[in-house]
Amino acid sequence: MRLIAFGESFVVGAGDPDHLGWVGRAIAGRREISLYNMGIRREASDQLLARWEAEARLRLVDYEPMRIVFSFGCNDSHLVDGAPRVAVAQTLKNARAMLTAARALAPVLMVGPPPVVDPGVCARAEALNAALLALCARLQVPFIDVFQPLMAGGLWQAEAAAWDGAHPGAAGYQQMADLVGAHPAWRRFTQAAE
Amino acid sequence: MRLIAFGESFVVGAGDPDHLGWVGRAIAGRREISLYNMGIRREASDQLLARWEAEARLRLVDYEPMRIVFSFGCNDSHLVDGAPRVAVAQTLKNARAMLTAARALAPVLMVGPPPVVDPGVCARAEALNAALLALCARLQVPFIDVFQPLMAGGLWQAEAAAWDGAHPGAAGYQQMADLVGAHPAWRRFTQAAE
């Protein structure tokens, strides 16, 4: 199976000394899965919308099952000149466009954004997380919500604050991976059978 | 620092239960490096030539040092209808085009192809490895030759034979990562200073 992961720095695993991020950790030991990690740091959903499909099509093959996972929202929630980089309505529009186009190519799953240290960005990311959850429910795309569990644990935020204010370390990424990996939707998503 | 790695399945780390491959393992513990792993399984250098630059440019930023590593040659060495997928002269032409264009963007390094189980493919990959080494010497691009050390150890080939005939497991990838990581050219390449 080939798993293609699109999103921002948390998908890349920025700050993870083990260079796995939550995606690599969520498929630990599953050597039958090849991971294409297509996260890009600081990228907003407008930019992801412009590039994901070309990159996905280059990695799709007809002889092996494929899966596409998306996870974004934090970068959209940053302010530039007093306004979010991408307004909520536009993020949702971008998400809808990507999710509906992607599921014509392969089974698709979305993982919600994690919390961040900056209180304002974090509050906007939390609201966006709820809106993305609702959108995915309407589209019948499986959605894994990690926001509150990571927020409640405190580890994610503590590691991020101790590093660069945004990205956790090995333990934080592992916690997110555990939340994703234990979710029934993820287990179904990464099953070998088409 | 952002490290962009282009190449084939060995760059992806296909078959690595830890989803690191030699690239991820070669930068273990270096959390200041974000890895963009752009390997694609089964891809020949003709296809890589057509896509690497667009993907690299999307990941280049002016506020952080970048490095670009290439590693390919095994897929070109497979036979289709009695001829290599890509002839040696064409692989060298592709390599020259990529290496010269890439180093206009960022410091560049090439890692030679590893051995494979099939004797014919392996012999052609070994010849290609020597030709790529010579090309890189002419271009003054640092080249790390892993072919003979991996061949001599036997572990790489044994793990590949035990899995899918092409890809090793954790120990084989670690061996390649150790060869790369210990090389002075790699240490210079991944130094923070521009």
Side-chain angles (χ1 to χ4, degrees):
Chain A
M1 179 184 295
R2 298 184 181 196
L3 171 63
I4 313 183
F6 285 108
E8 45 201 10
S9 57
F10 303 110
V11 170
V12 179
D16 186 347
D18 301 322
H19 298 287
L20 289 163
W22 63 264
V23 184
R25 294 170 186 274
I27 54 172
R30 302 202 44 194
R31 66 187 302 207
E32 81 283 7
I33 301 179
S34 292
L35 173 61
Y36 293 114
N37 191 321
M38 311 303 292
I40 295 187
R41 297 184 68 168
R42 288 210 199 178
E43 189 184 67
S45 66
D46 286 348
Q47 298 162 287
L48 179 56
L49 176 67
R51 61 113 181 159
W52 79 271
E53 190 164 348
E55 293 186 350
R57 286 187 181 276
L58 281 168
R59 288 157 178 83
L60 288 164
V61 290
D62 58 9
Y63 52 82
E64 198 171 8
M66 306 288 302
R67 301 288 186 272
I68 303 176
V69 59
F70 288 91
S71 185
F72 54 86
C74 290
N75 290 340
D76 287 11
S77 305
H78 276 263
L79 294 186
V80 176
D81 299 329
R85 280 181 68 189
V86 182
V88 173
Q90 186 61 44
T91 301
L92 295 175
K93 200 172 156 188
N94 294 343
R96 175 188 289 270
M98 288 189 269
L99 294 169
T100 52
R103 72 176 168 192
L105 303 178
V108 172
L109 180 142
M110 182 158 200
V111 174
V116 290
V117 172
D118 179 273
V121 179
C122 195
R124 284 186 295 277
E126 184 171 13
L128 192 53
N129 178 61
L132 288 166
L133 185 153
L135 172 70
C136 286
R138 283 197 301 279
L139 297 176
Q140 296 187 290
V141 168
F143 182 91
I144 299 178
D145 181 359
V146 296
F147 199 93
Q148 273 305 328
L150 290 180
M151 193 74 167
L155 171 69
W156 179 279
Q157 300 266 55
E159 279 196 336
W163 172 241
D164 65 357
H167 305 106
Y173 279 117
Q174 188 60 50
Q175 190 179 15
M176 182 163 170
D178 291 343
L179 291 166
V180 171
H183 199 289
W186 181 261
R187 292 210 294 264
R188 278 192 299 273
F189 180 64
T190 58
Q191 269 168 7
E194 277 289 64
Chain B
M1 181 184 293
R2 298 184 180 195
L3 171 63
I4 313 184
F6 285 107
E8 46 202 9
S9 58
F10 303 110
V11 170
V12 179
D16 185 348
D18 301 321
H19 298 287
L20 289 164
W22 63 264
V23 186
R25 294 172 186 274
I27 54 171
R30 304 209 35 200
R31 67 187 302 208
E32 80 283 7
I33 300 178
S34 292
L35 173 61
Y36 292 114
N37 190 321
M38 310 303 291
I40 295 187
R41 297 185 65 169
R42 287 211 199 180
E43 190 183 67
S45 66
D46 286 349
Q47 299 163 287
L48 179 57
L49 177 66
R51 61 116 180 156
W52 79 272
E53 189 165 349
E55 293 186 349
R57 286 187 180 276
L58 281 168
R59 288 158 178 83
L60 288 165
V61 291
D62 56 9
Y63 52 83
E64 198 172 9
M66 306 287 303
R67 300 289 185 271
I68 303 177
V69 59
F70 289 91
S71 185
F72 54 86
C74 291
N75 290 339
D76 287 11
S77 305
H78 277 262
L79 294 186
V80 176
D81 299 330
R85 282 180 66 188
V86 182
V88 172
Q90 186 61 44
T91 301
L92 295 176
K93 199 172 157 189
N94 294 342
R96 176 188 289 270
M98 288 189 270
L99 295 168
T100 52
R103 71 175 168 191
L105 304 177
V108 171
L109 180 143
M110 180 156 203
V111 175
V116 292
V117 173
D118 179 273
V121 179
C122 195
R124 284 187 294 278
E126 185 171 13
L128 192 52
N129 178 62
L132 288 166
L133 184 152
L135 172 69
C136 286
R138 282 198 300 280
L139 298 176
Q140 296 186 288
V141 168
F143 181 91
I144 299 178
D145 180 359
V146 295
F147 198 93
Q148 273 305 329
L150 291 180
M151 194 74 168
L155 172 69
W156 179 279
Q157 299 267 54
E159 278 197 335
W163 172 240
D164 64 359
H167 305 104
Y173 279 117
Q174 187 61 50
Q175 191 180 15
M176 181 163 170
D178 290 344
L179 290 166
V180 172
H183 199 289
W186 182 261
R187 291 210 294 266
R188 280 191 298 272
F189 181 65
T190 59
Q191 267 168 8
E194 277 289 61

